[in-house]
């Protein structure tokens, strides 16, 4: 199995506080992704990275920022958490070669914003 | 924007029954991926389809990609409780954004 760990796995915070979720990989994959999963919406892409310091927005990027200073770490930051950001967050990594482009997923981070 | 529509949204079947989940894209797909998610866990890769008309099988799960590469189906034969979970189709675009359908929740009743 791909070595992808997310931290924290569970977090409860209050509206207006900053939150950072960490994704760490040991696979040396070039691409890393952050998704949120909500009932009725499936997985929605927040931000992704295609290399160190190279990131881009996904479909639901408002209120989120990311950073990737090392190949192995991809951080997702909520500058000022809101209740609408209560969700389960998944990190994924991949090499995205055209013939073997599967993504590998972390176990998820459950965030509750009160 | 890229969109993948899945149907049905949820499915409840008796153990031993066959079932099919569909995934439709608004654009031609470069590759179509099927994942399974057990409740509360991360996603597990099932299989990838790339060529029009391609069909792949793993144990009792078969996936097909149509000739136009805009629709895929996932078929489970003789379903078992271990098949229960959420099935998602996914694809990536030329910009390397990897996006998913809304998912199909499968319940298998023993």
């Amino acid at each position: 199995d791909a070595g992808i760990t997310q931290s924290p796995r569970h977090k409860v915070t209050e509206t207006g506080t900053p939150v950072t979720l960490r994704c760490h990989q040991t696979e040396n994959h070039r691409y890393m992704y952050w998704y949120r999963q909500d009932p009725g919406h499936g997985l929605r892409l927040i931000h992704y990275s295609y290399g160190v310091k190279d990131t881009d927005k996904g479909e639901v990027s408002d209120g989120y920022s990311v950073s990737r200073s090392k190949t192995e770490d991809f951080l997702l930051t909520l500058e000022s958490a809101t209740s609408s950001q209560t969700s389960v967050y998944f990190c994924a990594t991949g090499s995205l070669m055209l013939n073997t482009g599967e993504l590998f997923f972390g176990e998820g981070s459950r965030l509750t914003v009160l | 924007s890229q969109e993948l529509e899945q149907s049905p949204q949820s499915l409840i079947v008796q153990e031993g029954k066959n079932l099919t989940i569909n995934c439709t894209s608004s654009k031609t797909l470069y590759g179509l991926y099927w994942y399974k998610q057990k409740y509360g866990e991360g996603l597990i890769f099932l299989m990838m389809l790339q060529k029009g008309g391609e069909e792949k099988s793993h144990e009792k799960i078969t996936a097909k990609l149509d000739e136009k590469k805009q629709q895929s189906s996932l078929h489970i034969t003789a379903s078992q409780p271990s098949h229960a979970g959420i099935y998602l189709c996914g694809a990536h675009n030329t910009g390397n954004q990897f996006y998913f359908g809304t998912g199909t929740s499968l319940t298998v009743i023993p």
Side-chain angles (χ1 to χ4, degrees):
Chain A
D1 290 339
I4 303 167
T5 54
Q6 293 183 225
S7 59
R9 293 289 313 280
H10 301 272
K11 186 172 182 65
V12 180
T13 191
E14 293 186 349
T15 298
T17 59
V19 176
T20 295
L21 304 179
R22 180 182 183 234
C23 178
H24 179 77
Q25 60 141 332
T26 59
E27 302 300 312
N28 201 35
H29 285 157
R30 177 182 176 186
Y31 297 91
M32 298 185 75
Y33 301 78
W34 276 109
Y35 294 88
R36 59 177 291 173
Q37 187 175 34
D38 305 287
H41 291 280
L43 281 168
R44 291 182 292 175
L45 180 63
I46 305 172
H47 281 281
Y48 68 105
S49 169
Y50 45 96
V52 173
K53 297 186 180 179
D54 291 324
T55 65
D56 206 348
K57 297 179 180 180
E59 60 180 312
V60 290
S61 59
D62 288 347
Y64 301 95
S65 62
V66 290
S67 66
R68 191 168 178 199
S69 58
K70 300 184 290 184
T71 299
E72 55 266 36
D73 289 326
F74 193 32
L75 304 180
L76 177 71
T77 297
L78 292 66
E79 299 291 346
S80 178
T82 67
S83 58
S84 65
Q85 293 176 311
T86 292
S87 186
V88 181
Y89 292 85
F90 286 97
C91 171
T93 74
S95 57
L96 273 193
M97 303 301 290
L98 285 180
N99 58 343
T100 55
E102 68 185 275
L103 292 186
F104 299 89
F105 282 81
E107 292 298 310
S109 296
R110 184 175 295 275
L111 175 66
T112 302
V113 183
L114 301 175
Chain B
S1 63
Q2 308 284 340
E3 285 190 357
L4 292 173
E5 293 289 334
Q6 278 186 245
S7 62
Q9 281 193 329
S10 65
L11 204 49
I12 301 173
V13 300
Q14 202 75 35
E15 182 177 359
K17 297 294 185 183
N18 302 336
L19 63 105
T20 299
I21 298 168
N22 294 302
C23 176
T24 302
S25 171
S26 56
K27 300 183 180 183
T28 299
L29 297 161
Y30 290 96
L32 190 286
Y33 303 76
W34 283 100
Y35 285 81
K36 178 188 174 184
Q37 181 184 26
K38 292 186 177 180
Y39 296 104
E41 298 182 12
L43 278 69
I44 304 297
F45 173 74
L46 294 176
M47 55 191 89
M48 169 192 167
L49 303 165
Q50 208 171 10
K51 300 176 184 177
E54 187 174 7
E55 178 175 324
K56 286 186 178 178
S57 293
H58 176 67
E59 298 179 343
K60 294 185 177 180
I61 301 176
T62 300
K64 300 178 184 179
L65 183 63
D66 74 341
E67 291 290 343
K68 293 184 178 180
K69 296 171 63 174
Q70 285 191 264
Q71 186 167 19
S72 177
S73 60
L74 185 83
H75 184 79
I76 298 177
T77 303
S79 58
Q80 301 169 356
S82 61
H83 287 128
I86 300 172
Y87 290 82
L88 296 103
C89 60
H92 62 81
N93 59 19
T94 53
N96 290 315
Q97 291 189 5
F98 205 109
Y99 53 100
F100 289 88
T102 50
T104 296
S105 175
L106 172 63
T107 302
V108 181
I109 301 171

